[in-house]
Amino acid sequence: MSLWRRTQKNREVPQNPPPDQARSSAPQDAHGRPGGLFSEQWVAVALSADDRYVAVAKIEGLSVFRLGEPGVELYQTVNAGVPSSNNQIAWAKSENLLAYPAVSGGVGLLHVPERSTRTVGRGLVRALSLSPEASEVAVVESLLHGVRLVVYRTDGSGSERLLRLRERRLNPFRQGGNPHVGYSPDGRWLAVVVESGTIHVLDADRLEVAVELVGPWSTVLGLAWLGPDRLAICTSDGAIRICRIPDGVETNLLEDSDCFEGVVYAAACRSLISWTTRELVVWSAESCSITARMPLPMAVPDLSSTDFQPVTASRRTDLMI
C-alpha cells in the first residue's frame, strides 16, 4: 500500500519507496506477492473521514487498520459477505462509522475505535451508501424474490421492518452487471444502477426517479459525485462521462488511450482519479484535463472480474492510498 501526496507542481511524490523498489524489498508470500496488506487477495480500500483509519476489503473478509500502524488490525471479519468493491464498504463523512456486508446478511455497522457493531437489513448486500449525516444507509440487496433498493435507519434498534424507511424494487442484474449506489454530497439525490446499463437518479426522500441516464455502454463500472449537481460515470466503453443533475445533460466526456475501469473523487484536490489495468490517471474536475499519471504498484490482469478498486482519496486533505 503506497501513500501519495500532491505537490504544487502537480507531480506525485511517493511517501514510501518507489513501487518497483518497494516491491523488490518487501516481504513476499508463497505466490511472490508483497507481504503486509498484500499478503491476502484484497480488492478494495476505503479511507475514513478523518484520515485515521483505512478499511481493506479482501476475498477472505474485511480488515480495519489505523494509518501509521498498517500491520496491526483493529478489527477483522471473516467472509463478511465477500465484499468485492468500494461500492460495498463505506465510511460516514462525519464520524468513524463503517458500513459493510454482514456475515449473516444485511449491513454491518462498525463504530471505530469502540469496535461496537450492529446489523440492519437481512438480504445479500450488492452495494451500499451512507447518507451525508450517516443517519441512513441505502442498500441494493438481493432476496429470494428479487432485487430491491432499501433505505434503513442506522440509529435506534428494532426489527428489520421497523428500521426500514422506504424501498424500491429493481430489475434483476444481468450476469456480469455491477450494482452501484451513491448519495449526493447534500443528500438530496441517490444515484443507483438499476440495470447493467441504466442509471436512475432518485429523489432520496421519496425514491422517485428524477432523471434516467441511458447511453451506449452496456455496464456501469463506477459512480462518483463531484458535488450536489455533477455525477461522474465510468462505463464499459472505457470512458468517463460527467452529467449535470437533475436534467441529465452530459457536459464532459473523458477519454484516453486505454480503457478506464473505475473512478473516485478527491474532493480536497478537486480531482477525479481513474484507473486502467496498468496506471492511475488524475483529472482536474474543473478543466477535465489530465494532471498526473502514475503506475499501479502491482499489475492487475483483469479488473472487471472482481470490480477491483485500488484507490481511495481523503475528503479533507491531499492524501491518496
Side-chain angles (χ1 to χ4, degrees):
M1 184 171 70
S2 300
L3 304 184
W4 300 79
R5 288 192 180 276
R6 295 178 56 80
T7 68
Q8 293 182 355
K9 295 182 180 180
N10 283 331
R11 295 178 60 192
E12 269 57 33
V13 179
Q15 304 300 301
N16 291 339
D20 289 341
Q21 178 182 343
R23 183 162 55 244
S24 62
S25 60
Q28 295 184 338
D29 64 12
H31 303 285
R33 298 177 302 193
L37 296 184
F38 292 95
S39 59
E40 298 177 84
Q41 187 176 357
W42 68 283
V43 292
V45 292
L47 186 63
S48 65
D50 60 4
D51 295 350
R52 292 178 62 193
Y53 307 102
V54 59
V56 180
K58 302 171 290 186
I59 295 299
E60 297 85 355
L62 176 76
S63 295
V64 179
F65 300 86
R66 181 184 289 113
L67 284 184
E69 301 176 2
V72 180
E73 291 182 305
L74 298 178
Y75 184 82
Q76 182 181 37
T77 64
V78 178
N79 291 327
V82 192
S84 62
S85 74
N86 269 23
N87 207 40
Q88 287 180 279
I89 53 175
W91 288 96
K93 293 180 173 61
S94 58
E95 58 180 301
N96 288 315
L97 174 69
L98 176 69
Y100 62 93
V103 175
S104 58
V107 177
L109 299 172
L110 168 65
H111 288 269
V112 181
E114 295 86 355
R115 308 184 193 183
S116 61
T117 61
R118 53 191 300 269
T119 303
V120 297
R122 57 187 174 87
L124 174 64
V125 175
R126 305 287 303 280
L128 61 85
S129 179
L130 284 165
S131 64
E133 69 283 0
S135 62
E136 300 178 355
V137 58
V139 186
V140 176
E141 60 181 23
S142 296
L143 300 170
L144 292 177
H145 53 274
V147 182
R148 64 179 182 176
L149 171 68
V150 191
V151 177
Y152 294 103
R153 291 172 49 197
T154 59
D155 56 348
S157 60
S159 66
E160 184 267 348
R161 183 179 60 85
L162 292 176
L163 294 176
R164 186 173 67 240
L165 298 175
R166 47 198 178 275
E167 67 176 281
R168 181 183 180 89
R169 295 289 174 178
L170 303 178
N171 291 330
F173 289 87
R174 298 197 303 268
Q175 185 175 3
N178 299 320
H180 294 270
V181 63
Y183 278 98
S184 61
D186 59 1
R188 180 182 179 186
W189 309 112
L190 191 60
V192 57
V193 179
V194 296
E195 291 180 286
S196 297
T198 304
I199 301 167
H200 281 174
V201 178
L202 309 174
D203 180 292
D205 291 331
R206 299 187 299 272
L207 297 188
E208 295 177 353
V209 178
V211 62
E212 181 179 84
L213 304 175
V214 180
W217 57 84
S218 61
T219 303
V220 174
L221 301 177
L223 301 173
W225 285 96
L226 312 187
D229 58 358
R230 296 177 73 204
L231 180 64
I233 307 165
C234 183
T235 56
S236 56
D237 60 356
I240 297 172
R241 292 169 169 82
I242 299 177
C243 296
R244 190 172 62 218
I245 305 300
D247 56 22
V249 173
E250 181 181 308
T251 59
N252 301 92
L253 177 65
L254 311 184
E255 294 180 298
D256 198 29
S257 58
D258 208 348
C259 293
F260 297 118
E261 303 282 350
V263 63
V264 298
Y265 182 51
C269 302
R270 298 185 181 89
S271 297
L272 272 173
I273 304 171
S274 58
W275 55 90
T276 70
T277 56
R278 299 176 298 175
E279 65 176 352
L280 298 177
V281 181
V282 182
W283 305 76
S284 165
E286 297 175 350
S287 65
C288 294
S289 60
I290 295 176
T291 60
R293 295 177 182 270
M294 62 192 76
L296 285 174
M298 298 179 67
V300 182
D302 184 8
L303 299 181
S304 60
S305 63
T306 59
D307 200 16
F308 182 87
Q309 186 149 333
V311 62
T312 181
S314 170
R315 299 186 182 104
R316 62 187 187 91
T317 69
D318 57 1
L319 176 65
M320 181 179 71
I321 299 177

